[in-house]
Amino acid sequence: MLEILECGGCIEPAHFFTLMRRTFRIAHLLYLEAEPYPDELKICRLHHTFGAYAAELYLTRGLYRIDPILKLALGGVRPVEWTTARHRFPECEPLFKTAEEIGLSSEGVALPLPSPAGRMALLAINVNMSAAEWSIYRRNHLRDFQLAANLFHAGMLENAAMTGGLNTREMRLTGRETEVLTWSAAGKSYWEIATILGISERTVRFFMTNARRKLNVVSNTQAVAQAVRHALIPTV
Amino acid sequence: MLEILECGGCIEPAHFFTLMRRTFRIAHLLYLEAEPYPDELKICRLHHTFGAYAAELYLTRGLYRIDPILKLALGGVRPVEWTTARHRFPECEPLFKTAEEIGLSSEGVALPLPSPAGRMALLAINVNMSAAEWSIYRRNHLRDFQLAANLFHAGMLENAAMTGGLNTREMRLTGRETEVLTWSAAGKSYWEIATILGISERTVRFFMTNARRKLNVVSNTQAVAQAVRHALIPTV
DNA sequence: GACGAAACTGTCGGTAGTGACAGTTCCGGA
DNA sequence: TCCGGAACTGTCACTACCGACAGTTTCGTC
């Protein structure tokens, strides 16, 4: 199975999920790719096997706001054990209560996945077994999950790069736009940037305006925040 | 071994490398964390077992500029096979020639690792076996390498977050300072932030001024850039 | 040669940010 | 009890930013 993934043969989420469930004792899978924003999370891609009803409950009850797995997996690097997350964040009980209501297990693990340009992704794996069983199973197969997740994610990213680069094309900053943003992030004023780059102050403003438009923000401050978050400008 | 890593018991690179070489048939390891710049690469952390002579050759001969493994692993998600990279980039022959000169094998794999804030990292694994042997060995143990790499990387990042507390102590922001910075990073004006927080505009400016002073910067834009970079304000 | 993308420039009027002046209130620790 | 830190507020003058107006030039690709 891992060979199939490595050769890029599996870019269809449904196919990958089926393969995973057939190969391992997995109940459900969820793949999420998102962009972190100041006040929310912009979901770029979402595939899962939990079904429409579970998804509806998750959304209508606002469970995504308390989901500790999202916070931990999208912010970190280490695999996130569901039960560990549950114990560390008591306020997320409604989430697990809801899961139990509709007959979903609370055992599982979420694997953070690397993404370029500040995006984050995760593959969550839900199993239907006792805690003891899961502990052993996890020890044996976490490495398989991790590699499979990485390869699948790589396939998804490559596929996205192939088919729809519209996001990347829109958001791509030109050389000058990157430069003025970088200097602005360094605390320079328009006049200073103009002097540094040897161009007129008006031109600096022109580049900054274009950068703001491309980043879809309303102020230089917000533009710089976005640029730093998405690694569009170098860190000093 | 993987359990040791998962419990965060191995944060010393030398220790991890020894453990890896003892557990697997690995000749050399290299861990690199870097920040991608438009035209160059800023190395944040580098640990390896290739020895000083190899490192010197690598630097003096400028091999880092043609190294395809750096490009592929720091830009992608998929594990990079050394021989594949070699065939795809004929201009990197000097690199492998140099490796052979000093008795290093050309078989290996580089694993990209996720990092927050736009940084990239990789763990390169070099083995001393024939192509056929490596092919089989790799099939069996790539998943182990991937998981071990991820866990080690997680440990490194967590450790960095711990020890880098000297900045945090000096730069510690109060609750309100963090709030106003967060809203400013979201593109809100003083008036808007004042309305949101239910305080006067003057007070927002007061907090912002304090934040600027603590961060030792001259503008709100620079303060937000610093705050985002140092993760002083929430990303999500 | 046409075309688009990037780099570049000028002016005006309004709004937002910045520093410096000078305060009050509340709370927890020495 | 005193003290420091955090939260909070007012006013003034200056500077920086920002949107909308309307352009030129240069470069590489088709």
Side-chain angles (χ1 to χ4, degrees):
Chain A
M1 142 135 205
L2 293 174
E3 277 101 61
I4 296 175
L5 280 168
E6 184 154 17
C7 299
C10 184
I11 49 165
E12 195 56 50
H15 184 203
F16 169 69
F17 289 162
T18 310
L19 213 55
M20 285 292 283
R21 292 167 91 175
R22 200 188 308 148
T23 313
F24 303 106
R25 285 177 53 202
I26 291 174
H28 288 289
L29 291 118
L30 180 143
Y31 173 75
L32 170 70
E33 194 186 339
E35 247 175 276
Y37 275 74
D39 47 352
E40 55 170 7
L41 207 63
K42 189 189 156 202
I43 293 170
C44 304
R45 239 194 297 275
L46 175 64
H47 303 284
H48 64 96
T49 61
F50 287 101
Y53 183 55
E56 195 195 323
L57 278 183
Y58 190 77
L59 287 174
T60 54
R61 296 195 182 177
L63 297 177
Y64 54 90
R65 275 182 274 126
I66 58 166
D67 194 339
I69 294 158
L70 281 185
K71 275 200 283 288
L72 292 172
L74 291 181
V77 186
R78 198 177 283 277
V80 177
E81 196 61 31
W82 287 20
T83 46
T84 309
R86 183 180 190 172
H87 293 139
R88 277 186 52 196
F89 295 87
E91 71 273 18
C92 70
E93 269 311 306
L95 173 67
F96 289 100
K97 284 269 186 288
T98 306
E100 280 164 20
E101 263 178 49
I102 56 179
L104 289 175
S105 154
S106 298
E107 291 291 348
V109 65
L111 303 169
L113 299 166
S115 283
R119 283 196 187 173
M120 290 300 300
L122 69 86
L123 183 78
I125 290 170
N126 176 233
V127 295
N128 206 345
M129 47 179 87
S130 73
E133 265 186 304
W134 166 237
S135 172
I136 296 165
Y137 196 78
R138 175 202 144 93
R139 180 164 314 175
N140 286 328
H141 290 292
L142 184 60
R143 52 192 188 162
D144 295 310
F145 298 159
Q146 179 76 64
L147 183 55
N150 272 292
L151 294 176
F152 170 67
H153 181 52
M156 293 296 285
L157 288 181
E158 284 160 15
N159 191 35
M162 293 290 193
T163 57
L166 81 166
N167 212 349
T168 341
R169 232 171 301 156
E170 291 298 312
M171 290 276 279
R172 172 154 293 143
L173 299 175
T174 68
R176 284 305 210 189
E177 284 157 11
T178 307
E179 275 182 291
V180 296
L181 272 179
T182 306
W183 286 114
S184 184
K188 305 298 179 190
S189 69
Y190 282 159
W191 182 86
E192 288 172 306
I193 299 172
T195 307
I196 290 166
L197 297 181
I199 57 182
S200 87
E201 195 176 325
R202 174 65 186 85
T203 308
V204 175
R205 272 176 40 219
F206 174 75
F207 292 137
M208 198 67 93
T209 305
N210 287 339
R212 276 198 306 273
R213 187 178 35 73
K214 285 186 183 175
L215 295 172
N216 197 30
V217 298
V218 297
S219 70
N220 287 356
T221 301
Q222 194 184 5
V224 163
Q226 284 284 45
V228 172
R229 285 196 180 114
H230 298 285
L232 301 174
I233 59 175
T235 307
V236 177
Chain B
M1 144 138 205
L2 293 175
E3 276 102 61
I4 296 175
L5 280 169
E6 184 153 16
C7 298
C10 184
I11 49 166
E12 194 55 50
H15 183 202
F16 169 70
F17 289 164
T18 309
L19 212 56
M20 285 292 283
R21 292 167 90 175
R22 201 188 308 150
T23 313
F24 304 104
R25 284 178 53 201
I26 291 175
H28 288 289
L29 291 116
L30 179 144
Y31 173 75
L32 171 70
E33 194 184 339
E35 260 174 75
Y37 277 69
D39 48 351
E40 55 170 8
L41 207 63
K42 187 192 158 201
I43 294 169
C44 305
R45 237 195 298 274
L46 175 63
H47 303 284
H48 65 96
T49 62
F50 287 101
Y53 183 54
E56 194 195 324
L57 279 183
Y58 190 76
L59 287 174
T60 53
R61 295 193 183 178
L63 298 176
Y64 55 90
R65 274 183 273 127
I66 57 166
D67 194 338
I69 294 159
L70 281 184
K71 274 199 285 290
L72 292 172
L74 292 181
V77 185
R78 198 176 281 278
V80 177
E81 195 61 32
W82 287 20
T83 47
T84 310
R86 183 180 190 172
H87 293 139
R88 278 186 52 197
F89 294 87
E91 71 272 19
C92 70
E93 270 309 307
L95 174 66
F96 289 100
K97 284 270 186 287
T98 306
E100 280 164 20
E101 263 179 48
I102 56 178
L104 290 174
S105 155
S106 297
E107 290 292 346
V109 65
L111 304 170
L113 299 167
S115 283
R119 284 194 186 175
M120 290 299 301
L122 70 84
L123 183 79
I125 291 170
N126 175 234
V127 295
N128 206 344
M129 49 180 86
S130 72
E133 266 185 304
W134 165 237
S135 172
I136 296 166
Y137 196 78
R138 174 201 145 95
R139 179 165 314 175
N140 286 328
H141 291 292
L142 184 60
R143 51 191 190 163
D144 295 310
F145 298 159
Q146 180 76 63
L147 183 55
N150 271 292
L151 294 176
F152 169 68
H153 181 51
M156 292 295 285
L157 289 181
E158 284 159 14
N159 190 35
M162 291 291 193
T163 55
L166 82 164
N167 281 346
T168 332
R169 231 170 301 154
E170 291 298 312
M171 293 213 214
R172 171 152 290 144
L173 300 174
T174 69
R176 285 306 210 188
E177 283 157 12
T178 306
E179 275 183 289
V180 296
L181 271 180
T182 306
W183 286 113
S184 184
K188 306 298 180 191
S189 69
Y190 283 159
W191 182 87
E192 288 173 305
I193 299 171
T195 308
I196 291 166
L197 297 183
I199 57 182
S200 86
E201 195 175 325
R202 174 64 187 86
T203 309
V204 176
R205 273 176 40 215
F206 174 76
F207 293 137
M208 197 67 91
T209 305
N210 287 338
R212 275 198 306 272
R213 188 177 35 74
K214 285 187 185 176
L215 295 172
N216 197 29
V217 299
V218 297
S219 71
N220 287 356
T221 301
Q222 194 184 4
V224 162
Q226 282 286 53
V228 172
R229 283 187 184 127
H230 293 59
L232 301 175
I233 58 176
T235 305
V236 181

